[in-house]
Amino acid sequence: MTEYLLSIEGTEAGRQLAMILALISAVAHAIFGAIQKGRHDPWLTRGAIDVFYCAIALPVALLVVPWPTPFVWLLLAGAFPIHVLYKYILAMAYERAAYTVVYPVVRGTGPLITVFGAWIVFGEIFTILQWGGVLMLSGGILGLAAFNLRHTQVGREVLIAALCLAFFTGVIVAVYTVYDAYGMRASFNPFTFLVWFFVVDGLAFPVIAWRRWHAMEDPPDPGPLLKRGFIGALIAFVSFGSVMMATRLDKVGEAVVLRETSVIWAALIGWLFLRETVGPIRTALMGLIALGAVVVEFGG
């Protein structure tokens, strides 16, 4: 598998596989976001998810993939605080507003900054048409934020705080995306960085969640929470693993932007399973974000 992936890097076959992986990641990430925002406390859910994906990845890291080089260890150490901050700020946003409010802003903001980061770090150049797609995506995000400020039934101060946190989370998404893509490319075997990433990334939030659970006056039954965490961990492998591998095979900016079609799936999940009102205007704005992502992918 590794030899095949290395052989198609930068080729048309690699581009096609990267596109497929990014689309798979889009669907999986929308489901993953809904799991974290579901009926359980988002902090507890994220802790349960990280327990399982660290535990599942650890034996694979120790027994299957090649050992990281000292430089890759340094990159993994740098990824740890970036991802802890991302998850911490995202949980704060999910505490304050609905999934369909927070998720599109987070996922839509990230690519705007990622394309600049990919240009600086990897020398990726976008065409005029692709930049048009970026502007479409930006317009959809700004329109969605403005609509939410006017129509969401949440206190205005709370909603503004949630949108600010969501935007900041999107900035962190861009940072970790470029950083992780660099780590994937710095490892000769991409699975080395990928598997050890899940081990390292799963260390902090279980502790945070455990302390939060013990501090609650009426903590939830851990059984259903752990079940949700196990399912979320399996989805996380698909969601994060797919897009990280896509950034190894093809352009970082295109792979990441295409993944943000997840906002369409997020809207459907929020409406069907979380009983959240989406409405035609919000749906259209989410569609504009997704359309912009598609233009970026196919406008090169």
Side-chain angles (χ1 to χ4, degrees):
M1 174 66 76
T2 302
E3 292 181 358
Y4 172 72
L5 291 173
L6 293 176
S7 70
I8 63 173
E9 282 185 36
T11 67
E12 183 59 29
R15 175 182 171 82
Q16 292 177 0
L17 181 56
M19 181 178 67
I20 293 171
L21 289 172
L23 289 172
I24 292 173
S25 177
V27 178
H29 203 283
I31 298 172
F32 181 85
I35 287 176
Q36 185 176 355
K37 173 57 181 175
R39 64 186 181 89
H40 290 100
D41 180 287
W43 302 83
L44 301 185
T45 302
R46 185 72 217 206
I49 290 170
D50 285 11
V51 162
F52 283 106
Y53 83 35
C54 178
I56 295 171
L58 183 59
V60 179
L62 293 174
L63 303 175
V64 179
V65 300
W67 201 253
T69 64
F71 181 61
V72 172
W73 276 121
L74 288 175
L75 292 175
L76 288 166
F80 177 76
I82 297 173
H83 282 268
V84 170
L85 180 62
Y86 154 70
K87 289 182 283 190
Y88 198 91
I89 301 300
L90 181 61
M92 291 176 64
Y94 278 150
E95 278 187 316
R96 289 163 172 79
Y99 173 63
T100 48
V101 172
V102 172
Y103 188 84
V105 177
V106 172
R107 305 317 311 176
T109 303
L112 301 176
I113 304 170
T114 299
V115 294
F116 285 102
W119 169 59
I120 294 171
V121 177
F122 304 112
E124 296 182 3
I125 304 297
F126 272 24
T127 66
I128 294 177
L129 182 59
Q130 285 178 306
W131 277 112
V134 172
L135 292 176
M136 291 170 60
L137 192 145
S138 302
I141 295 167
L142 294 175
L144 185 61
F147 180 85
N148 290 336
L149 282 171
R150 292 191 60 185
H151 294 87
T152 301
Q153 299 300 314
V154 180
R156 185 175 179 81
E157 291 184 2
V158 174
L159 185 58
I160 291 176
L163 291 175
C164 290
L165 288 168
F167 176 79
F168 184 47
T169 305
V171 174
I172 303 172
V173 167
V175 172
Y176 83 59
T177 298
V178 175
Y179 187 94
D180 293 346
Y182 183 82
M184 289 288 288
R185 297 182 182 196
S187 304
F188 176 76
N189 187 323
F191 290 104
T192 294
F193 183 86
L194 184 59
V195 175
W196 276 104
F197 162 80
F198 282 116
V199 174
V200 172
D201 187 47
L203 296 175
F205 244 74
V207 177
I208 296 173
W210 181 83
R211 294 182 62 181
R212 185 178 179 87
W213 187 82
H214 275 275
M216 290 180 170
E217 293 184 2
D218 185 22
D221 181 0
L225 182 63
L226 291 174
K227 179 180 178 182
R228 181 179 289 263
F230 177 72
I231 296 172
L234 297 180
I235 296 172
F237 288 131
V238 177
S239 173
F240 293 105
S242 294
V243 75
M244 288 173 72
M245 189 60 68
T247 63
R248 171 77 185 239
L249 296 174
D250 194 29
K251 290 183 177 181
V252 175
E254 292 184 6
V256 172
V257 170
L258 182 60
R259 184 181 64 163
E260 305 319 328
T261 55
S262 60
V263 295
I264 298 298
W265 299 101
L268 292 174
I269 291 169
W271 175 57
L272 291 173
F273 299 105
L274 301 181
R275 307 296 184 184
E276 296 181 356
T277 302
V278 178
I281 296 178
R282 188 180 290 169
T283 300
L285 290 168
M286 290 180 182
L288 182 62
I289 295 171
L291 180 60
V294 172
V295 170
V296 170
E297 172 65 20
F298 295 102

